[in-house]
Amino acid sequence: MIKAIALDDEPLALEILQSLCAEIEYVDLQKTFTKSDEAFKYLKKYPVDLLFLDINMPSISGLDFYKKLPHKTMVIFTTAYSEYAVEGFTLSATDYLLKPISFSRFQQAVEKALQQWKTQNQNLEQQHLFIRADYSLIKILFSDILYIEGLDDYLKIHIQNQKTVVARMTLKAILQKLPETEFVRVHRSFIIPIFKIEKIRNKIIHIDQAEIPISTSYETAFFELLNQK
């Protein structure tokens, strides 16, 4: 499921986007914004996969807003003015929609986003590590890891839809085996994959059903890495 938000200074345009997204089963439009500063604050805390972004807004153009984004996010620009198209694509936009937006053209744009999203996730799914546990070497895909919990010299690797793997290993040792741009230590007892974060609230990371604290000693490095995404 592609997580998305929309930013447009016209409420009617956002209503249209909501109705269009409701027709696409693989797009989850989580929130809409009419104010760019509110959208920016949200994105800093809750990264999404896709942004529907109006170009011609009063406070800041969509092009400038996108350039300021702290995360690598797919973007579909929307506007009533075709002259922005060339500049939109120089920013590696997934697509550019001219208002009024037809459903067929919208569907074409989000299908491009879906293929791009699949490619990004497929690259991660092809990566894995082997962990020695229960007298065996167990293959674990990076993309399946929910979070890793440290208990002295043991680890609990919590895996999506699979049994938790317990291994004799330190957090420091396993962190060296993980992609450094995708996994980060947030507490003396926890490593989390950034791409699994659902939300962050009051220094608590929510992943699946788990609530993982961010400790003061790891807070700065964690948010710096998050802001690079």
Side-chain angles (χ1 to χ4, degrees), residues 2-5 43-44 46-53 65-77 91-94 113 116 120 226-229:
I2 295 175
K3 294 185 290 186
I5 68 164
L43 286 170
K44 285 188 76 173
Y46 311 116
V48 297
D49 304 307
L50 175 63
L51 173 62
F52 295 100
L53 181 57
F65 179 88
Y66 184 64
K67 290 172 185 176
K68 287 174 57 181
L69 279 187
H71 315 291
K72 292 178 182 177
T73 307
M74 295 183 294
V75 63
I76 295 176
F77 286 115
L91 293 176
S92 302
T94 299
Q116 193 174 335
Q120 291 169 355
L226 201 64
N227 288 339
Q228 294 170 14
K229 290 292 179 179

Side-chain angles (χ1 to χ4, degrees), residues 36-91:
S36 59
D37 57 340
E38 291 178 1
F40 194 79
K41 286 177 184 176
Y42 181 89
L43 286 170
K44 285 188 76 173
K45 284 190 174 183
Y46 311 116
V48 297
D49 304 307
L50 175 63
L51 173 62
F52 295 100
L53 181 57
D54 183 34
I55 289 180
N56 192 31
M57 295 184 292
S59 58
I60 184 174
S61 78
L63 297 170
D64 289 336
F65 179 88
Y66 184 64
K67 290 172 185 176
K68 287 174 57 181
L69 279 187
H71 315 291
K72 292 178 182 177
T73 307
M74 295 183 294
V75 63
I76 295 176
F77 286 115
T78 63
T79 186
Y81 304 95
S82 59
E83 61 265 27
Y84 291 113
V86 173
E87 189 175 354
F89 280 115
T90 62
L91 293 176

Side-chain angles (χ1 to χ4, degrees), residues 120-134:
Q120 291 169 355
N121 283 275
Q122 186 178 31
N123 290 340
L124 191 61
E125 286 171 4
Q126 291 169 350
Q127 301 177 50
H128 60 269
L129 77 166
F130 283 94
I131 293 293
R132 189 173 296 279
D134 295 330

